[in-house]
Amino acid sequence: MRLLAASWPRRPPPWPRRAPPRRGSSGPGRRWLLSTPIFYVNGPPHIGHLYSALLADALHRHRGLRGAGPGRLATGTDEHGLKIQQAAAAAGMPPQEHCAHVSSLFRDLFSQAAISFTDFIRTTEPRHRQAVQHFWAALQGRGLLYKAFYEGWYCTPEECFLSPAQVTERPDARGRPCKVSLESGHQVHWTKEENYMFKLSEFREPLRKWLLGNRHVISPEPFYQVVLQWLEEDLPDLSVSRERSRLQWGIPVPGDSKQTIYVWVDALVNYLTVVGYPDAHHAWWPAAHHVVGKDILKFHAIYWPALLMAVGLDPPEQIYVHSHWTVHGQKMSKSLGNVVDPLACFRQYTVEGFRYFLLRQGVPDRDCDYYEEKVIKLVNSELADALGGLLNRCTSPSINPSGTYPLFSESCFPQVSDHLGVDAVGRAVAEDYELVASVAHLPTQVSHYFERFQIYKALEAIVACVRQTNGFFQRHVPWKLSRDSPAENRWLDTILHVALECLRVYGILLQPVIPATADKLLSRLAVMPAERAFSELTFLPRYRGKPCPFEGRRLGPDTGALFPRLETQRKRQLETKRS
Ligand code: MSP
């Protein structure tokens, strides 16, 4: 990558500046704009795309349940650029039609997946074109763009120029030597043209300062270190337009009909478009929290903050980074034919089962592998057996004939300050007190993990408590207690009361991940919609001598299984053949 000519007036970058108080930053009622990346419409959605959207959705729902002030969740599609131009040509469709079709696939998928988006932006919308052109004019007005001849290796699938160090040579399908991107393996082409350049190099220090002053702005932490490391290296200026003769499918540079705005500048500005830039964004910016895959970290953690600083806006408050899904240990790719269709997964595992799998197994710090048996084993053991089984045991007519939330007896489960060695007082034993302590602490633990973008750990903690509750139930063999004996009756009711209280907590905490299953669980426990926020999560108040609003309440009418057990496709096929 080489810059052939350069001339620009040296002016100090307009950032850091005296920032107005961060409107969204602190206190109750704090605003929050959460975003997914906007998705390329060169092909239908796959499970990796769904994962990006699910992470954002779970964070959004979690925050809503905390009652933490107005929040928005923006998603949408990235519809300009060479890659889309080529995809439309390959499909034999005008680009507008092609984009509308693929964009609707994403929108439909997200609706089916219960992604709670409040805005779905398409970069071909007029509101976005206006925002991008205004942003461009702001960059130009601040003297941060200049024209230069530029040449380098262009990677169309990644829509960016690569440095010589990022390119390697490999034989193509016919054995001829061919240049490819070291990271993605995609072919690159030598491109030479006159472009507008953004003076990115001037932002190296401001970017370092921003990062060093905001140590938690990128999480998980290893990605923060990666970005800091990038800033140790050379930060060349960025080519931000393409010759219109080569790229017609994009937003024209204002006042220069021969140039098209670079698709990444176009795409990043979507985060401002959704909050009404250039007129109404102040109420929401910079309360932006972006969820992004690791492959687009540089665009979000270097280019985007630098562009924002360049126009006098603050960088986003938070960048959450996740790794990728592989399939049977291999990268998903069209050429390998192993791209997993999320709709097929919904049919096979149910929407809720698949949401649960991706969020429970997806670890943002490292790539995760998908295969059928893993989904089935996890969902069956944790949702159908552990959680569904527990609900079933506590509500079945044989054990709970009154169909109510039974009474808690303080004499059976007395409050103690030290549960070690006092088990002689009531009927509860030390492990039962440990269970109560774990579940009482669980909401704080879950919020802690959500705030650190460790949703999988939050789910791990919930499952550990569910298992502990099953252990509690099993330990006291309540089905052997006789309702005819007043003492045993009291203890049996207390066991059910404690188990239902635990289930109520799990139902409330699981809402961001499996909203429909959590709704079913909470409805069965007769927990009203107004009683499902985190502020209502007072666990086992009777243990602390406080009244419990649920005690004696009739349970909800839906007695069906909470979650169906799943079967492998092979087993289902065999069964269909037999019948
Ligand atoms: N259009 C850009 C983003 C612009 S945002 C201003 C783009 N689109 S994408 O469709 O290629 O990717 C969208 C998201 O899907 C990215 O966060 C990317 O990391 C994610 N994934 C794509 N493949 C993935 C996996 N195999 N696994 C997990 N997520 C992956 O980049």
Side-chain angles (χ1 to χ4, degrees):
M1 182 163 41
R2 217 153 17 111
L3 193 58
L4 301 179
S7 65
W8 63 85
R10 284 207 78 80
R11 221 196 278 175
W15 203 93
R17 62 196 171 81
R18 262 190 43 189
R22 286 193 160 207
R23 223 170 290 223
S25 300
S26 62
R30 164 182 182 224
R31 284 171 186 254
W32 213 58
L33 167 69
L34 194 65
S35 69
T36 74
I38 49 170
F39 301 90
Y40 284 132
V41 290
N42 59 325
H46 60 58
I47 58 168
H49 301 135
L50 175 64
Y51 181 55
S52 270
L54 274 180
L55 286 167
D57 177 58
L59 291 178
H60 181 59
R61 287 175 182 270
H62 183 265
R63 191 174 178 279
L65 287 160
R66 278 174 44 208
R72 288 188 183 183
L73 170 58
T75 189
T77 42
D78 188 353
E79 305 189 4
H80 288 134
L82 204 52
K83 174 154 127 163
I84 311 302
Q85 185 172 297
Q86 289 174 355
M93 275 196 203
Q96 292 88 332
E97 236 175 78
H98 171 82
C99 290
H101 168 64
V102 183
S103 178
S104 73
L105 299 180
F106 277 94
R107 202 184 169 115
D108 292 350
L109 170 71
F110 293 162
S111 301
Q112 271 206 48
I115 305 295
S116 52
F117 58 87
T118 56
D119 197 342
F120 188 97
I121 181 170
R122 298 184 53 197
T123 54
T124 46
E125 288 175 58
R127 61 169 172 160
H128 181 64
R129 183 190 180 105
Q130 194 198 343
V132 172
Q133 291 193 326
H134 192 278
F135 193 88
W136 181 276
L139 289 174
Q140 202 154 37
R142 288 168 187 258
L144 291 161
L145 299 178
Y146 63 97
K147 240 176 163 178
F149 279 94
Y150 192 77
E151 63 182 348
W153 293 107
Y154 195 72
C155 178
T156 306
E158 290 172 58
E159 290 282 16
C160 63
F161 277 103
L162 299 178
S163 71
Q166 295 170 302
V167 170
T168 185
E169 200 168 272
R170 275 197 204 131
D172 68 8
R174 291 200 218 146
R176 290 174 309 195
C178 136
K179 297 277 186 196
V180 296
S181 157
L182 205 53
E183 200 185 312
S184 69
H186 291 123
Q187 192 173 356
V188 295
H189 296 99
W190 187 256
T191 309
K192 181 178 175 183
E193 56 181 46
E194 192 176 29
N195 290 165
Y196 283 93
M197 303 293 298
F198 167 57
K199 292 180 199 169
L200 180 63
S201 53
E202 292 196 5
F203 291 88
R204 193 161 145 213
E205 266 322 297
L207 284 169
R208 272 173 52 79
K209 213 167 161 184
W210 165 62
L211 284 171
L212 293 172
N214 295 277
R215 293 203 163 263
H216 301 293
V217 72
I218 299 171
S219 50
E221 217 264 342
F223 291 112
Y224 171 82
Q225 296 301 341
V226 166
V227 178
L228 271 186
Q229 188 51 44
W230 283 333
L231 289 172
E232 291 299 312
E233 295 154 19
D234 195 25
L235 189 64
D237 289 347
L238 182 69
S239 159
V240 286
S241 72
R242 299 285 173 266
E243 281 179 2
R244 199 135 188 100
S245 56
R246 224 184 274 268
L247 174 65
Q248 300 86 48
W249 188 238
I251 300 175
V253 165
D256 188 343
S257 58
K258 290 211 169 94
Q259 295 275 329
T260 303
I261 296 177
Y262 175 39
V263 65
W264 265 103
V265 173
D266 171 340
L268 288 163
V269 173
N270 96 83
Y271 301 130
L272 285 173
T273 308
V274 293
V275 288
Y277 182 83
D279 307 313
H281 59 287
H282 297 290
W284 290 88
W285 202 266
H289 294 229
H290 303 311
V291 171
V292 302
K294 63 179 184 180
D295 54 322
I296 53 174
L297 178 57
K298 190 177 265 178
F299 297 95
H300 285 83
I302 294 196
Y303 301 166
W304 181 226
L307 286 163
L308 285 164
M309 291 174 190
V311 299
L313 290 171
D314 283 321
E317 270 179 13
Q318 188 72 46
I319 300 172
Y320 296 114
V321 192
H322 67 78
S323 300
H324 282 184
W325 282 92
T326 55
V327 176
H328 290 285
Q330 278 185 313
K331 197 176 159 158
M332 252 189 293
S333 86
K334 271 192 214 158
S335 50
L336 287 173
N338 64 349
V339 176
V340 183
D341 171 11
L343 294 176
C345 293
F346 291 167
R347 285 191 292 274
Q348 201 183 346
Y349 315 118
T350 74
V351 170
E352 296 269 303
F354 200 53
R355 279 182 67 110
Y356 185 77
F357 169 76
L358 288 180
L359 291 171
R360 167 83 168 93
Q361 284 287 303
V363 177
D365 319 40
R366 54 175 188 271
D367 287 356
C368 303
D369 198 35
Y370 161 87
Y371 54 93
E372 188 196 31
E373 293 77 10
K374 192 164 160 187
V375 188
I376 292 183
K377 206 169 151 197
L378 181 97
V379 168
N380 280 348
S381 101
E382 298 189 355
L383 288 185
D385 298 346
L387 188 67
L390 180 62
L391 177 68
N392 193 35
R393 288 161 131 189
C394 304
T395 53
S396 74
S398 59
I399 207 155
N400 187 349
S402 64
T404 57
Y405 218 96
L407 306 188
F408 176 87
S409 156
E410 283 140 331
S411 61
C412 293
F413 211 131
Q415 190 174 10
V416 291
S417 51
D418 172 10
H419 61 261
L420 303 170
V422 286
D423 45 356
V425 180
R427 307 225 18 188
V429 298
E431 286 102 316
D432 305 339
Y433 286 96
E434 274 163 27
L435 166 71
V436 168
S438 305
V439 181
H441 178 56
L442 189 62
T444 313
Q445 209 181 356
V446 165
S447 285
H448 169 92
Y449 287 136
F450 264 82
E451 275 155 28
R452 278 155 194 76
F453 198 46
Q454 294 174 318
I455 299 174
Y456 69 104
K457 280 200 180 172
L459 292 174
E460 204 172 276
I462 296 174
V463 171
C465 282
V466 173
R467 295 202 191 289
Q468 234 179 317
T469 318
N470 273 310
F472 161 72
F473 205 85
Q474 199 74 22
R475 184 160 56 242
H476 295 298
V477 284
W479 52 93
K480 287 198 175 159
L481 294 172
S482 161
R483 288 258 174 222
D484 297 333
S485 144
E488 290 199 357
N489 191 43
R490 264 200 308 277
W491 177 223
L492 173 51
D493 276 352
T494 303
I495 293 171
L496 293 179
H497 181 101
V498 172
L500 290 179
E501 273 293 277
C502 292
L503 276 165
R504 183 173 64 83
V505 171
Y506 308 147
I508 290 178
L509 295 178
L510 284 169
Q511 291 175 98
V513 174
I514 40 172
T517 308
D519 173 47
K520 192 168 175 182
L521 168 57
L522 293 170
S523 299
R524 179 73 174 121
L525 301 184
V527 180
M528 302 297 150
E531 296 167 332
R532 297 178 182 188
F534 292 170
S535 54
E536 302 296 316
L537 229 171
T538 322
F539 170 60
L540 204 58
R542 294 282 285 105
Y543 174 69
R544 278 170 290 108
K546 304 248 168 64
C548 170
F550 303 98
E551 206 173 40
R553 210 182 264 188
R554 177 149 295 284
L555 295 178
D558 183 355
T559 54
L562 180 68
F563 200 87
R565 275 188 71 76
L566 305 174
E567 280 170 1
T568 59
Q569 236 165 9
R570 227 175 97 83
K571 196 165 169 206
R572 275 196 316 209
Q573 277 161 0
L574 282 176
E575 272 164 15
T576 326
K577 257 191 207 163
R578 259 190 242 129
S579 59

